[in-house]
Amino acid sequence: MNEKQLTEQLNAKTKEERLEALRGLRAMLDAGEIEKPVRTEDTNNHVHTTFSFSSYSPTAAVYKAYMSGLATVGIVDHDTVDGAHEFIEAGDIIGITTTIGAEVRVSFAGTPLEDKKINNPDEVGNAYITLHGIPHSKIEELDALLMRVREARNERNRKQVDNLNRILLEHQIYIDFDEDVVPVSMAAEGGSITERHILFALAKKLIEKYGRGQALVDFLQNNMGIGISPKTKEMLLDTEFYAYEYDVLNVLKANLVPRFYVPGGADIPPVKEVVDYARQLGVIPTYCYLGDVDDSPTGDKKAQKFEDGYLTTLMVLLRELGFEAVSYMPARNTEEQLKCIMNMCKHYGFMEISGEDVNQPRQSFVCEKLRDPEFAHLADSTWALVGHEHATEENIAYSIYSKKAKHEHPDMESRIAYYRDLGLKYRK
């Protein structure tokens, strides 16, 4: 197969096919048939794959990261780590250092934030957190918790599809959970199903019925009552874009979710339960700072207020609950927000992790903002994640937040430096 065919095979149906295609691309790179990328110091710790929602399989994500010149890349799927082993193997094949994480929604019921909109645009009282630096030997143990979350979530997903079908009835459009939604997910291999999958299935139905371009825009605006900005309309009129369905999905997500959303229940476990479980496995419990949103880069979030009005309360609570890190997105936050969250992390002793969320084909794997000198410490933190993962393979007592680590390196800066140097030994 040629380069184009092998690249397409990176999203093949089976893991074996995907990895074999990557081996073929590796051979072409070694033979000089594909130009090798210029490797940089860029990192990205928060890449979603098809195991949650993305246009990239774990193998495709690793290859995209490598060809983008990244030094490291991290997988962070919603409610699953079942793509992790493939991600690790793909990194070994192509030659890029990987980190392993997962993202999960947790309930803050019973805390001072139970009635607050935290970092979840769809619901008050719960929030997205990430579990970074998962020891490879603990992947299956972590998934034992996440499997229960996925099972409960699918019960809620079915109710959400029913709600959506009531909205679509007058337009003679019907979505079947088993026939339309499940097939656009990796549920058969342990992947999660989210609102994005439901809306992706709807996007496909709408394109099938109205085609791409102006007719679809007219239907969304005139029949569904969805406001479309000039920027978004330009995307929807770009009918040749290879991942057009994702642009339609973003419009639907920003405008339709509140109309069919079912509040979380058993699929959103208590925050303390998840944090304690993660710590028992040597995983780094990490809060995902979003900050008040003005203009969403991907068009899938409306302007809303989130944590900025009560950051001190949040930080104190996170420390009490057992969180060890905070992730944030330099490309998505304002200078004022970034300075504030960095100062808060230093004051409360949190590890800082770059969390540039990638789940859309129009997004770059490279966050150029991270090249600014003021964010150089985030690259150190990434290599510290690598060091932590390898240290905890031997014994979770060697985690970056263990009593041993904090005794030997009481200040965060020296601790990061120690684990960074350990992580750099595994640079590929």
Side-chain angles (χ1 to χ4, degrees):
M1 288 190 283
N2 59 32
E3 179 185 1
K4 183 176 183 296
Q5 292 170 322
L6 286 171
T7 302
E8 290 174 349
Q9 280 292 102
L10 296 176
N11 276 325
K13 186 174 182 180
T14 68
K15 171 184 173 182
E16 290 71 24
E17 289 176 290
R18 298 191 291 267
L19 291 173
E20 188 57 32
L22 187 62
R23 293 186 187 96
L25 290 166
R26 174 78 264 177
M28 293 183 74
L29 284 159
D30 292 340
E33 297 172 39
I34 299 175
E35 184 178 354
K36 290 186 178 181
V38 177
R39 301 299 295 279
T40 69
E41 298 302 314
D42 295 329
T43 63
N44 192 319
N45 300 306
H46 198 121
V47 175
H48 289 278
T49 78
T50 48
F51 277 77
S52 53
F53 190 84
S54 173
S55 59
Y56 306 103
S57 72
T59 300
V62 166
Y63 184 66
K64 177 73 172 180
Y66 174 83
M67 294 303 290
S68 297
L70 265 61
T72 69
V73 62
I75 186 174
V76 178
D77 279 321
H78 288 283
D79 304 331
T80 181
V81 285
D82 283 318
H85 288 300
E86 177 183 342
F87 198 81
I88 294 165
E89 189 172 351
D92 291 339
I93 292 169
I94 204 65
I96 185 172
T97 306
T98 57
T99 61
I100 306 302
E103 186 168 11
V104 62
R105 281 187 292 190
V106 294
S107 170
F108 277 75
T111 78
L113 302 186
E114 64 182 354
D115 61 347
K116 301 284 189 183
K117 181 162 283 190
I118 309 174
N119 66 8
N120 181 357
D122 303 317
E123 200 168 345
V124 300
N126 62 54
Y128 289 97
I129 69 170
T130 46
L131 306 173
H132 278 292
I134 302 170
H136 299 178
S137 59
K138 301 296 183 180
I139 290 173
E140 280 71 27
E141 283 187 65
L142 181 58
D143 198 50
L145 169 66
L146 300 180
M147 186 183 302
R148 297 199 301 271
V149 171
R150 295 195 298 272
E151 290 172 351
R153 183 161 193 172
N154 280 340
E155 293 180 15
R156 186 164 67 88
N157 281 331
R158 290 182 182 278
K159 295 176 183 177
Q160 293 189 129
V161 170
D162 289 342
N163 286 349
L164 181 59
N165 280 327
R166 293 187 188 98
I167 297 170
L168 299 173
L169 183 62
E170 65 176 296
H171 307 296
Q172 298 182 319
I173 300 170
Y174 178 79
I175 305 294
D176 185 277
F177 182 77
D178 295 297
E179 298 297 325
D180 298 318
V181 180
V182 174
V184 298
S185 75
M186 296 288 283
E189 295 183 44
S192 63
I193 297 178
T194 70
E195 287 82 15
R196 291 179 188 269
H197 292 93
I198 295 170
L199 292 174
F200 193 67
L202 174 57
K204 286 180 170 291
K205 291 273 187 177
L206 293 177
I207 293 169
E208 180 182 338
K209 184 169 183 177
Y210 298 100
R212 301 181 177 209
Q214 190 63 53
L216 178 56
V217 171
D218 291 342
F219 171 76
L220 293 173
Q221 289 182 313
N222 302 330
N223 297 81
M224 296 293 290
I226 293 175
I228 299 176
S229 69
K231 177 183 175 182
T232 301
K233 183 176 181 179
E234 183 180 350
M235 290 182 184
L236 294 181
L237 295 180
D238 180 10
T239 59
E240 298 303 314
F241 181 53
Y242 78 98
Y244 185 82
E245 295 93 340
Y246 285 81
D247 289 338
V248 179
L249 160 70
N250 286 336
V251 174
L252 297 173
K253 184 176 184 296
N255 294 273
L256 206 55
V257 170
R259 297 169 61 183
F260 71 81
Y261 190 80
V262 173
D267 60 315
I268 304 182
V271 58
K272 184 62 174 169
E273 175 187 329
V274 176
V275 170
D276 287 349
Y277 190 80
R279 292 178 67 95
Q280 290 171 16
L281 302 180
V283 176
I284 303 172
T286 306
Y287 176 77
C288 302
Y289 169 73
L290 178 60
D292 296 351
V293 173
D294 182 17
D295 181 33
S296 172
T298 54
D300 65 343
K301 293 182 179 69
K302 290 184 176 181
Q304 293 184 67
K305 299 290 186 182
F306 293 99
E307 320 101 305
D308 287 346
Y310 52 88
L311 265 182
T312 298
T313 300
L314 172 63
M315 291 292 149
V316 171
L317 178 61
L318 294 177
R319 180 49 72 197
E320 291 175 354
L321 289 169
F323 281 85
E324 293 290 343
V326 172
S327 69
Y328 53 87
M329 303 173 283
R332 294 193 180 199
N333 293 123
T334 66
E335 294 296 327
E336 182 180 359
Q337 286 175 318
L338 291 168
K339 288 178 182 177
C340 182
I341 194 64
M342 286 192 287
N343 287 334
M344 285 282 190
C345 286
K346 288 181 176 64
H347 180 75
Y348 290 98
F350 289 115
M351 181 180 181
E352 297 172 53
I353 298 174
S354 169
E356 297 293 339
D357 190 345
V358 173
N359 58 21
Q360 300 287 329
R362 288 188 185 271
Q363 291 174 276
S364 171
F365 274 54
V366 176
C367 174
E368 295 192 4
K369 187 79 172 175
L370 287 174
R371 296 174 180 175
D372 292 352
E374 63 187 308
F375 301 119
H377 64 291
L378 293 176
D380 291 340
S381 293
T382 296
W383 287 109
L385 278 180
V386 176
H388 163 88
E389 280 187 22
H390 286 277
T392 51
E393 278 297 285
E394 298 179 25
N395 190 330
I396 63 170
Y398 298 152
S399 77
I400 197 168
Y401 56 85
S402 65
K403 289 183 179 179
K404 180 178 185 297
K406 290 183 176 180
H407 175 73
E408 295 178 357
H409 308 281
D411 65 285
M412 181 61 73
E413 188 174 349
S414 65
R415 203 180 322 148
I416 292 292
Y418 174 81
Y419 281 87
R420 174 203 64 202
D421 291 345
L422 177 60
L424 285 168
K425 295 178 181 178
Y426 297 92
R427 182 168 187 158
K428 294 184 173 68

